[in-house]
Amino acid sequence: MARTHTHTLPSIRSAVEQQCPIRIISVHLLDAAGRLLRVLFLDREGHISSQPHYVPREQALILAANQQRVLGSQARVQVL
């Protein structure tokens, strides 16, 4: 009697996330009504830049959280 094995494959996104620990931090500057004015990025040191920078995931999460606290409702900070 032959055995059959069933394997569940992880989603593509989770597989990519496991293989790619580097992230980009985007800063969406908003006007008073919440409309997007401009998209900028954070570098590894937390400076705002017009060019994207690659940041290690754990550092990116900390930088993004800190920048969101500083900018408040003036921006939406995301780790991509």
Side-chain angles (χ1 to χ4, degrees):
M1 178 182 252
R3 285 187 170 179
T4 59
H5 296 281
T6 57
H7 297 283
T8 56
L9 297 175
S11 71
I12 292 172
R13 182 181 175 118
S14 65
V16 170
E17 287 175 354
Q18 290 174 3
Q19 294 175 11
C20 184
I22 305 298
R23 298 289 188 259
I24 294 173
I25 307 167
S26 69
V27 179
H28 294 207
L29 298 180
L30 309 172
D31 67 9
R35 292 180 301 245
L36 181 64
L37 294 174
R38 187 167 182 190
V39 177
L40 297 170
F41 303 92
L42 288 183
D43 67 13
R44 292 182 91 159
E45 296 169 0
H47 299 120
I48 294 177
S49 168
S50 62
Q51 298 296 316
H53 296 268
Y54 294 101
V55 180
R57 183 182 181 276
E58 294 302 319
Q59 183 181 3
L61 293 171
I62 293 167
L63 287 170
N66 290 342
Q67 193 65 42
Q68 186 65 67
R69 283 188 201 103
V70 169
L71 295 173
S73 63
Q74 297 174 341
R76 184 173 57 245
V77 183
Q78 299 175 314
V79 177
L80 307 175

